[in-house]
């Protein structure tokens, strides 16, 4: 006797009916048993395959038996992705600094990479104590680097005004320090004449030249030797500096 249980009419009805027909035909005529048995085996194989497909599709998303606990939610909670958690945490840390500290100011984006390195060093070190933390940190460092690169692209590539303004300002500083000021009247600050020092230089030279004249005018009967004249002339520079404030004579600086 053969017993057939049809549990899924939606997928196996046709094959089941074919199998029943084979069984009915095989009963009354012994001469046809061998042929019908082969046909029946083929149909049974098809039914078995359909049953396996149905079961596998029903439990495809179910955890393996050795991982099942009291419920699947507990297993899912215990198998959360350490890498994903670290990755998105790293990105969030960069966004927090960019939004709250740098106020999304592209003028400050030049320092974001350095801040990213600090975040990685402090929150995602490369030498953690265990494998789970190592996975979390490695993916966190990747998240930090990717988010920094995305923000830099927004500020320095997608909007070229940052680069244009930087180049303009650099040119202005160079001209200011090496050629002229925005006023156009004077040269660069470090190249402007030191009028006080130059005046003192002139006064010192005049002083040295007038030493013999003053000495002869005041003391015509007294002989001024060459040595004494040089001694008096050597005091001109210090005397001029004592008499007026300001920069020292360039002669003295030499």
């Amino acid at each position: 006797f053969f017993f057939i249980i049809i549990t899924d009419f939606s997928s196996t009805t046709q094959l089941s009916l074919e199998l029943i027909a084979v069984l009915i035909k095989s009963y009354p005529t012994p001469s046809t048993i061998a042929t019908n048995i082969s046909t029946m085996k083929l149909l049974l194989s098809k039914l078995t395959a359909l049953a396996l497909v149905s079961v596998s599709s029903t439990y495809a998303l179910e955890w393996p038996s050795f991982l099942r606990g009291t419920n699947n939610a507990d297993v899912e909670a215990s198998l959360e992705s350490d890498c994903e958690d670290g990755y998105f945490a790293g990105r969030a840390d960069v966004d927090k600094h960019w939004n709250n500290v740098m106020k999304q100011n592209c003028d400050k984006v030049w320092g974001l990479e350095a801040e990213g390195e600090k975040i990685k060093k402090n929150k995602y070190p490369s030498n953690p104590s265990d494998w789970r933390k190592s996975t979390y940190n490695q993916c966190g460092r990747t998240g930090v680097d990717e988010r920094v690169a995305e923000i830099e692209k927004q500020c320095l590539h997608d909007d070229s005004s940052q680069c244009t303004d930087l180049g303009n300002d650099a040119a202005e500083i160079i001209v200011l320090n090496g050629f002229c000021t925005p006023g156009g009247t004077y040269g660069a600050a470090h190249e402007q004449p030191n009028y006080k020092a130059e005046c003192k230089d002139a006064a010192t030279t005049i002083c040295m030249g007038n030493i013999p004249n003053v000495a002869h005018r005041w003391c015509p009967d007294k002989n001024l030797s060459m040595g004494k004249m040089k001694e008096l002339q050597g005091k001109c520079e210090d005397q001029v500096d004592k008499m007026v404030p300001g920069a020292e004579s360039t002669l003295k600086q030499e």
Side-chain angles (χ1 to χ4, degrees), residues 181-201:
T181 66
T185 304
Y186 304 102
H190 66 278
E191 293 182 348
Q192 292 184 19
N194 189 331
Y195 298 112
K196 291 189 291 292
E198 290 183 354
C199 183
K200 286 185 175 183
D201 289 345

Side-chain angles (χ1 to χ4, degrees), residues 99-244:
N99 296 333
N100 298 340
V101 179
M102 293 186 168
K103 305 298 183 183
Q104 301 184 12
N105 184 350
C106 284
D107 290 345
K108 298 180 180 179
V109 75
W110 301 91
L112 185 60
E113 182 178 2
E115 293 299 328
E117 293 299 320
K118 292 180 183 177
I119 292 174
K120 291 192 294 184
K121 180 179 179 181
N122 296 332
K123 302 193 68 174
Y124 309 97
S126 57
N127 55 343
S129 58
D130 59 72
W131 61 267
R132 189 182 302 279
K133 192 66 175 176
S134 176
T135 300
Y136 180 89
N137 287 3
Q138 182 176 349
C139 296
R141 294 167 70 87
T142 299
V144 169
D145 290 339
E146 284 191 2
R147 187 59 185 137
V148 168
E150 290 172 2
I151 296 174
E152 289 180 340
K153 180 178 181 293
Q154 293 172 4
C155 287
L156 306 178
H157 180 270
D158 297 345
D159 181 3
S160 62
S161 62
Q162 176 77 197
C163 309
T164 302
D165 293 344
L166 176 63
N168 289 337
D169 284 6
E172 290 177 351
I173 293 299
I174 290 174
V175 173
L176 176 70
N177 292 333
F179 188 69
C180 66
T181 66
T185 304
Y186 304 102
H190 66 278
E191 293 182 348
Q192 292 184 19
N194 189 331
Y195 298 112
K196 291 189 291 292
E198 290 183 354
C199 183
K200 286 185 175 183
D201 289 345
T204 297
T205 302
I206 293 172
C207 170
M208 294 172 66
N210 273 339
I211 288 294
N213 296 333
V214 172
H216 180 72
R217 188 174 72 249
W218 287 359
C219 310
D221 298 332
K222 189 175 181 177
N223 183 37
L224 180 63
S225 66
M226 182 64 67
K228 186 63 174 179
M229 183 183 70
K230 289 184 176 180
E231 176 187 346
L232 296 176
Q233 287 176 333
K235 297 179 179 181
C236 284
E237 188 172 355
D238 289 337
Q239 184 60 43
V240 169
D241 284 337
K242 291 177 182 179
M243 296 173 68
V244 292

